[in-house]
Amino acid sequence: LLTLYITRRQDSAQQQQARLDAIALLERQGIAVDQSIVPERMELAAMLVQRDLEQEAAIALSLLGTAEPTEIIGEVYRYSDAGGNTIQFYSNGEFQAHFYPGFLSVGEQTERAHAIALFGQLGIEAEVVKIETQGAATNVVLRQLYQGVPVLSCQATFVYEKGSLISVREAQRLIGTPTQDHAITVMTVPTALIKFLHGMNELLDVCSGILSIRPAYVTAHRSGELQLLPVWYIVTDAGETGVYQLDIISGTLSRSS
């Protein structure tokens, strides 16, 4: 046990030194990085998500009071109530809903609070991305979180008019409960930092500092299931082109928003 403890301490020390060496390399290349914003280790793993039809039925029951689909076309399940309110689920996680005015009233809440509470009622943890006004409508855009980590590709726009929710559009959610995909491994923190530097050079982009690094997930659809893939969401000081997404499996860097 003592030997194992010493070995792990040595491995940890080597990993931390490699992390500091990678930060120093970025700084020599003109990119300032505060050590405190760089994760000490990769904590996110790739996940697999199988479609859970019972979960969809539970959402429909919570919103519409019915748990039986009124129409099934291929892999599309549509639920409706007697009043014509509907919600429709797709196998890739997309969904949409339409409600008659007054059916889901905001009451004394704000649209923001109502949208978050409604997602919470459905068992979906979320954060607000933005709120915008378009004519008589107020749009609240929410992003799903999985165990507190943002899933960048899972967003939903809640559309409100005259104090009630009338639709949910441009929406995607996790189709079930994730389980770890042991077939996929992620790179180390030092490797990710170096991949970021190489990616910036390939994009011909220039920045003088990294402002934040936030671990996050994106989704990929394949043959009836979703992959939940870890990335770094990186904000730099490069102005309008200063936000990036680093795939910590392949090392690919792309511009984000």
Side-chain angles (χ1 to χ4, degrees):
L1 287 176
L2 179 59
T3 301
L4 179 61
Y5 171 77
I6 293 173
T7 300
R8 288 183 174 176
R9 284 290 300 270
Q10 290 173 339
D11 289 345
S12 177
Q14 290 174 351
Q15 291 171 9
Q16 288 305 312
Q17 186 58 53
R19 172 177 169 273
L20 295 176
D21 290 344
I23 292 172
L25 175 61
L26 262 67
E27 292 180 340
R28 288 197 297 271
Q29 298 297 316
I31 302 176
V33 187
D34 186 334
Q35 292 183 27
S36 66
I37 69 171
V38 180
E40 293 190 0
R41 63 188 63 84
M42 291 297 186
E43 297 181 348
L44 301 186
M47 313 289 280
L48 283 177
V49 191
Q50 301 288 340
R51 187 177 188 181
D52 188 342
L53 296 177
E54 292 183 357
Q55 185 183 89
E56 293 176 4
I59 291 174
L61 179 64
S62 179
L63 287 177
L64 307 178
T66 178
E68 294 297 328
T70 53
E71 187 176 15
I72 303 174
I73 303 175
E75 295 183 328
V76 180
Y77 282 61
R78 179 184 177 90
Y79 294 80
S80 304
D81 67 6
N85 303 293
T86 65
I87 184 168
Q88 189 161 295
F89 298 99
Y90 299 81
S91 62
N92 63 355
E94 293 181 9
F95 69 102
Q96 59 188 31
H98 299 277
F99 309 105
Y100 278 94
F103 179 70
L104 291 174
S105 175
V106 170
E108 297 182 357
Q109 293 179 299
T110 63
E111 287 87 352
R112 173 194 181 106
H114 184 269
I116 292 178
L118 186 60
F119 249 12
Q121 174 187 327
L122 305 180
I124 301 174
E125 183 186 2
E127 63 182 4
V128 176
V129 176
K130 62 180 178 180
I131 301 174
E132 57 188 6
T133 301
Q134 292 183 342
T138 299
N139 298 336
V140 180
V141 181
L142 297 184
R143 176 187 293 133
Q144 184 170 1
L145 305 176
Y146 172 63
Q147 296 185 343
V149 178
V151 184
L152 301 180
S153 46
C154 287
Q155 294 190 171
T157 300
F158 286 63
V159 182
Y160 292 86
E161 287 188 6
K162 298 180 180 179
S164 68
L165 179 64
I166 62 168
S167 69
V168 181
R169 56 180 177 82
E170 299 170 0
Q172 183 156 355
R173 50 177 279 278
L174 295 179
I175 57 177
T177 302
T179 58
Q180 186 170 348
D181 185 351
H182 294 282
I184 297 178
T185 58
V186 300
M187 61 185 60
T188 64
V189 169
T191 301
L193 290 171
I194 294 171
K195 289 291 187 181
F196 169 77
L197 179 60
H198 290 169
M200 291 291 285
N201 292 333
E202 290 173 359
L203 292 171
L204 301 179
D205 286 359
V206 177
C207 72
S208 61
I210 295 177
L211 304 180
S212 66
I213 299 174
R214 187 180 188 187
Y217 284 111
V218 295
T219 57
H221 183 240
R222 70 175 193 187
S223 61
E225 63 184 10
L226 282 182
Q227 288 179 292
L228 199 55
L229 304 173
V231 299
W232 273 3
Y233 186 73
I234 303 173
V235 179
T236 72
D237 61 359
E240 293 183 358
T241 61
V243 182
Y244 299 90
Q245 187 174 295
L246 178 66
D247 184 328
I248 58 175
I249 297 170
S250 70
T252 301
L253 183 72
S254 57
R255 300 186 185 98
S256 188
S257 58

